[in-house]
Amino acid sequence: MNNNPISSNPSLAVGRYNYDQVDHDFLKERINQFRSQIERRLSGELSEDEFKPLRLMNGVYLQLHSYMLRVAIPYGILSSTMLRGLAYISQYYDRGYGHFTTRQNIQFHWVKLEEMPDILTHLASVEMHALQTSGNCIRNITSDEFAGLAEDEIIDPRVYAEIMRQWSTLHPEFTFLPRKFKIAISGSSNDRVAACFYDIGILTRLNDDQKPVFEVWVGGGLGRIPYKGKIIRDDLPPEHLIAYIEAIIRVYNLHGSRNNLYKSRIKILVENLGIDAYREQVEKEFATMDLDQYRLSDDLVVQIQERFGRPNLKNHPQASEVLEAHRAQDKEFDRWVKNNTHPHFHNDYIAAVISLKEVGKTPGDASTEQMHALADLADQYAFGEVRVTHLQNVVLGHVQKDKLYELWQGLKKQQLATANLGLITDIVCCPGMDYCALANARSIPVAKQIAALFEDIELQEKIGPVNIGVDGCINSCAHHHIMNIGVLGVDKKGEEFYQIKLGGSSYKEGAAIGSILGAAVKAEEAVKAVEKLIYFYLEQRQANEHFIDTYRRLGTAPFKEIVYATA
């Protein structure tokens, strides 16, 4: 089912909310405020302690070697103009690349504080910003990378994500929450956003009357103490979305801990109170609210929809036949189509998933040249729209099937045609101690070494689907807790060690937090451990079993023995 209601106005950028003058004026004012704050910091008028909350609310981190800027990509959608803007920043203000994260953001790791206002001004010129990409506030709201094109979609979640973005930006009550707060939304009941591991996760289903309702999860999260969220309501009418999530956050804001950094997330509050008691307080708060004031009327939703652009999907009756002919003629292309595409609701189109996980390269990184090339390819083949996934890849969502071979050839020229989506080298990785001041260990070299072990694509396909996350600290930016194989860097008396977890899974059906395999080991042993685990799995698996299935059937003990057994 697909009820894509987004405007078909050809003057609007496809797939995303297009700014009006109010939006531009708002960003200009905010940049001028921050420019003044930066000048006061550089002059010494503001100390670092005084400046820190101001820079964090504008997405600026102080990392190991320089400042870092985190830029929001709301619900993961970029126009080609936006992507060229990011490429410009990478070229003239950074070191020629950007790093896409699991939060559908992009980070620049080598920016100068004195140049930040100019960077933000350039971002604003392409309708982007870095507001609330850090700090104890509602962060960038993420969504399904196949929003608006998936066959199983009930509503287009981008419209509601945009409504939540506007509602939450500089919300006077939620600017200084007990801790950071993350929301994800999908327009389908098939979870493609890891909804149960967010502070609030939202899935969509049809009720008994065949009307869309939201299933709302609360209290999920990773980090030091990972929890799977719980359903607080499974029948929320879309018109009450803002009111209900505001009630959830009000209760959290009132009762959430501000005394202990490690116990301040909503997941701890929900766990301590229990979901029934938390739900009772939320429903009590919700009952006191003026629902007419918060109601998302059809007119309001349409107003937001009309600021989006929609692709003009024409019929191409021979497109599927042409694609099949190209696949038959080129085995390498056929492999890429098999591994790196996703069905589209329109039979003449397909979604192309572009891996940023070429073996030997840093997962999630895209160079200036690659960003420019992706922007050009998006204009040529995908209505100028690029999507960012929460697994550090990108998507061109509306590609004519008969043009897919040409697109693939263009991607090959930029080393962007790696056919490993969902396979063992499609590793998720945080920046680690090479960049991040919070990290205990390096993550990028470990991820590269693991990928190098399995570089042969035929071996990858023999292994089958398995996901790996490599984190440099417990904050779990690479989601190691919910990966089939998670690798976590830990500090032991100033030395880098790595803990291995097995059995994690991200999505609603079968969602699980992995179990620690045993004692932490040195980097080279961790890489060797992953190799042992995979070859043990290949020996033990039954017909059609994926890694996670074999692990669940056998349990932790035999995997632990194969890693830690001494000769």
Side-chain angles (χ1 to χ4, degrees):
M1 178 177 181
N2 187 285
N3 298 323
N4 191 338
I6 291 179
S7 167
S8 58
N9 186 336
S11 67
L12 300 178
V14 165
R16 52 169 293 275
Y17 175 82
N18 290 253
Y19 283 16
D20 59 18
Q21 193 58 47
V22 172
D23 299 300
H24 285 289
D25 290 345
F26 168 74
L27 281 188
K28 183 177 180 181
E29 180 182 353
R30 286 291 300 178
I31 292 166
N32 287 337
Q33 290 174 356
F34 192 43
R35 185 186 298 273
S36 174
Q37 293 162 355
I38 289 174
E39 290 171 353
R40 292 164 64 200
R41 172 69 187 119
L42 292 173
S43 71
E45 184 180 346
L46 289 177
S47 68
E48 169 55 25
D49 286 344
E50 292 170 323
F51 181 60
K52 182 178 179 179
L54 302 175
R55 64 171 169 78
L56 288 178
M57 289 300 290
N58 289 277
V60 180
Y61 284 76
L62 182 56
Q63 298 222 287
L64 276 180
H65 309 294
S66 67
Y67 284 93
M68 182 268 278
L69 177 66
R70 179 181 292 152
V71 179
I73 304 174
Y75 36 94
I77 303 291
L78 289 167
S79 67
S80 58
T81 300
M82 288 173 158
L83 191 52
R84 290 189 184 95
L86 296 174
Y88 179 91
I89 291 168
S90 72
Q91 181 175 0
Y92 292 103
Y93 295 102
D94 205 275
R95 295 188 175 180
Y97 70 95
H99 178 74
F100 289 101
T101 78
T102 53
R103 293 280 308 138
Q104 293 181 322
N105 297 308
I106 188 170
Q107 295 178 175
F108 297 103
H109 289 277
W110 297 98
V111 289
K112 298 176 181 177
L113 184 60
E114 58 268 27
E115 294 180 337
M116 208 66 70
D118 293 337
I119 296 173
L120 295 176
T121 298
H122 186 78
L123 280 175
S125 74
V126 295
E127 303 188 353
M128 299 190 75
H129 63 77
L131 292 174
Q132 297 186 193
T133 55
S134 184
N136 294 337
C137 57
I138 299 171
R139 300 284 187 90
N140 185 41
I141 294 166
T142 61
S143 189
D144 174 5
E145 65 264 33
F146 302 119
L149 66 85
E151 294 176 287
D152 62 352
E153 189 170 273
I154 297 168
I155 64 165
D156 191 320
R158 294 171 297 181
V159 175
Y160 289 91
E162 175 60 32
I163 290 170
M164 287 190 285
R165 183 192 72 84
Q166 294 189 24
W167 159 79
S168 63
T169 302
L170 304 185
H171 193 297
E173 189 175 352
F174 304 143
T175 302
F176 295 101
L177 293 167
R179 201 69 172 86
K180 58 187 176 182
F181 202 91
K182 301 174 182 179
I183 301 174
I185 181 171
S186 176
S188 167
S189 60
N190 293 317
D191 183 7
R192 287 188 287 268
V193 297
C196 52
F197 293 108
Y198 275 79
D199 297 302
I200 294 177
I202 304 165
L203 302 176
T204 310
R205 68 176 184 86
L206 295 173
N207 65 13
D208 292 340
D209 296 323
Q210 296 302 295
K211 292 183 179 180
V213 292
F214 291 131
E215 176 182 288
V216 183
W217 292 71
V218 69
L222 303 179
R224 186 173 297 274
I225 309 172
Y227 283 115
K228 179 182 174 181
K230 300 171 178 64
I231 296 176
I232 190 169
R233 185 161 177 181
D234 68 355
D235 62 348
L236 181 68
E239 64 181 7
H240 293 320
L241 176 64
I242 294 298
Y244 199 75
I245 61 175
E246 178 153 323
I248 290 173
I249 301 174
R250 282 185 185 181
V251 174
Y252 166 57
N253 200 25
L254 180 63
H255 297 293
S257 171
R258 285 179 164 84
N259 300 322
N260 188 328
L261 180 69
Y262 304 120
K263 295 183 178 181
S264 56
R265 296 290 295 270
I266 191 174
K267 61 188 179 183
I268 304 297
L269 180 60
V270 172
E271 185 67 19
N272 288 342
L273 286 178
I275 187 60
D276 292 335
Y278 195 87
R279 182 186 296 111
E280 182 179 348
Q281 292 203 35
V282 170
E283 293 291 345
K284 183 178 178 180
E285 183 68 31
F286 183 66
T288 69
M289 298 171 71
D290 182 353
L291 295 185
D292 286 337
Q293 178 184 345
Y294 286 90
R295 189 182 307 278
L296 299 182
S297 67
D298 291 344
D299 288 345
L300 189 149
V301 173
V302 168
Q303 286 178 29
I304 299 297
Q305 289 173 350
E306 289 180 346
R307 299 302 306 170
F308 281 74
R310 180 179 178 181
N312 182 16
L313 301 178
K314 298 178 180 178
N315 293 331
H316 300 275
Q318 305 303 315
S320 294
E321 293 180 20
V322 172
L323 172 58
E324 292 308 311
H326 286 147
R327 295 183 68 173
Q329 294 165 9
D330 192 321
K331 291 183 179 179
E332 185 182 1
F333 174 65
D334 178 64
R335 169 176 278 135
W336 181 81
V337 174
K338 180 180 69 175
N339 292 338
N340 285 54
T341 60
H342 189 276
H344 196 290
F345 73 84
H346 192 304
N347 191 53
D348 298 338
Y349 291 81
I350 197 166
V353 186
I354 299 160
S355 172
L356 297 181
K357 313 291 179 57
E358 182 186 12
V359 174
K361 300 294 179 64
T362 300
D365 277 9
S367 69
T368 299
E369 294 76 15
Q370 287 176 326
M371 284 190 270
H372 276 300
L374 281 171
D376 291 343
L377 291 169
D379 281 338
Q380 190 171 358
Y381 298 106
F383 302 91
E385 181 205 76
V386 180
R387 296 142 180 264
V388 180
T389 82
H390 74 283
L391 296 175
Q392 297 179 297
N393 295 312
V394 296
V395 175
L396 298 184
H398 311 284
V399 182
Q400 281 180 220
K401 287 181 176 178
D402 54 346
K403 300 293 185 183
L404 191 63
Y405 190 59
E406 293 176 20
L407 168 63
W408 175 74
Q409 290 173 314
L411 292 170
K412 280 190 69 175
K413 293 176 182 177
Q414 295 295 328
Q415 291 75 53
L416 289 170
T418 304
N420 66 344
L421 193 74
L423 300 178
I424 195 167
T425 61
D426 186 12
I427 297 173
V428 177
C429 182
C430 78
M433 205 164 66
D434 288 312
Y435 300 95
C436 183
L438 300 176
N440 298 310
R442 290 168 295 173
S443 52
I444 294 171
V446 173
K448 288 181 177 180
Q449 290 168 40
I450 293 171
L453 290 173
F454 306 102
E455 184 172 9
D456 181 78
I457 187 62
E458 292 186 0
L459 174 59
Q460 293 181 52
E461 291 182 331
K462 178 182 177 182
I463 293 167
V466 56
N467 52 57
I468 298 177
V470 184
D471 269 311
C473 84
I474 198 64
N475 284 320
S476 196
C477 294
H479 297 178
H480 73 274
H481 287 301
I482 53 173
M483 294 294 181
N484 301 161
I485 302 175
V487 181
L488 169 64
V490 295
D491 174 79
K492 286 192 173 184
K493 298 181 180 180
E495 290 190 78
E496 297 172 60
F497 279 75
Y498 295 84
Q499 185 183 87
I500 296 171
K501 300 189 83 168
L502 293 183
S505 184
S506 304
Y507 304 114
K508 177 182 173 182
E509 298 301 329
I513 294 165
S515 300
I516 297 173
L517 192 63
V521 296
K522 291 284 192 121
E524 59 271 18
E525 296 175 77
V527 174
K528 188 67 176 176
V530 173
E531 184 178 34
K532 290 179 180 178
L533 290 167
I534 292 300
Y535 281 101
F536 177 70
Y537 149 67
L538 290 177
E539 292 173 358
Q540 299 296 320
R541 71 177 175 186
Q542 296 177 354
N544 301 318
E545 270 192 337
H546 296 163
F547 178 89
I548 189 66
D549 303 319
T550 302
Y551 171 77
R552 288 172 175 168
R553 176 171 57 82
L554 296 178
T556 304
F559 287 91
K560 181 175 182 177
E561 182 178 354
I562 204 70
V563 169
Y564 292 99
T566 56

